[in-house]
Amino acid sequence: MSDELRELYQEVILDHSKNPRNKGFPPGCNRSADGHNPLCGDKIKLKLVLEGAGERANVSAIGFEGSGCAISQAAASTMTEAIKGKSKEEIHQLFTRFHDLVTGHYEQDLESLGKLAVFAGVSEFPMRVKCASLPWHTLQAALAGDGEPVTTE
Ligand code: ZN
């Protein structure tokens, strides 16, 4: 990764951690989950509106509350932007790609990942992978609807 790209990515992460999108909960939420990354102290609470049934059910609205490091909060912010309006199936595919990205497999089409691509640099810091993926694991739990708090441990 070039230094320029790295700087750009860091700027986006800082922007999202300072000015998080979709902070607070939209009305009519029917799914929620809590996530915790004890290694770093990151906490995320997600609430969303799931419409429809099965794999084609889609997330029509989502919001979060959280505290923790810049990476975890920026990951939650960019994730909520990226998945709004998407089906469970699409979200699952996106999560797989995001997970590949933060674990160092970025021989994929970064442009189609949009802002999620800014987490490519995280793969160089194994401790941070859990920070970046916490919101995604929390989302999986919310979509599964089992209501159990998730932890990265
Ligand atoms: Zn963290």
Side-chain angles (χ1 to χ4, degrees), residues 37 39-43 67-73 127-132 134:
N37 172 15
L39 270 185
C40 181
D42 308 317
K43 286 185 177 162
S67 57
C69 70
I71 300 268
S72 66
Q73 303 306 302
M127 291 280 289
R128 293 296 186 198
V129 173
K130 286 182 175 171
C131 304
L134 175 67

Side-chain angles (χ1 to χ4, degrees), residues 2-153:
S2 70
D3 286 351
E4 272 173 37
L5 194 57
R6 200 185 307 268
E7 266 176 38
L8 173 72
Y9 283 177
Q10 278 177 358
E11 270 175 34
V12 175
I13 289 173
L14 276 179
D15 172 41
H16 273 265
S17 69
K18 284 184 188 153
N19 309 295
R21 321 305 198 259
N22 302 305
K23 193 118 192 215
F25 304 122
C29 290
N30 55 7
R31 292 285 189 286
S32 70
D34 293 288
H36 182 210
N37 172 15
L39 270 185
C40 181
D42 308 317
K43 286 185 177 162
I44 298 286
K45 184 179 202 59
L46 276 182
K47 288 190 183 186
L48 58 91
V49 181
L50 189 69
E51 286 181 351
E55 287 304 292
R56 307 199 72 128
N58 76 83
V59 175
S60 60
I62 183 167
F64 79 100
E65 292 285 356
S67 57
C69 70
I71 300 268
S72 66
Q73 303 306 302
S77 173
T78 51
M79 180 190 78
T80 56
E81 276 195 322
I83 63 116
K84 206 188 276 184
K86 289 204 161 56
S87 69
K88 273 170 113 169
E89 199 178 357
E90 289 167 323
I91 290 168
H92 184 71
Q93 285 168 4
L94 209 51
F95 178 44
T96 304
R97 295 186 61 200
F98 183 79
H99 192 262
D100 283 349
L101 181 78
V102 295
T103 51
H105 305 280
Y106 39 88
E107 62 280 0
Q108 50 172 315
D109 178 10
L110 287 185
E111 242 165 66
S112 70
L113 273 176
K115 275 189 198 150
L116 299 179
V118 303
F119 294 95
V122 166
S123 62
E124 292 168 28
F125 307 96
M127 291 280 289
R128 293 296 186 198
V129 173
K130 286 182 175 171
C131 304
S133 50
L134 175 67
W136 289 87
H137 286 295
T138 310
L139 176 64
Q140 295 290 98
L143 291 175
D146 51 20
E148 290 286 309
V150 295
T151 161
T152 53
E153 289 309 294

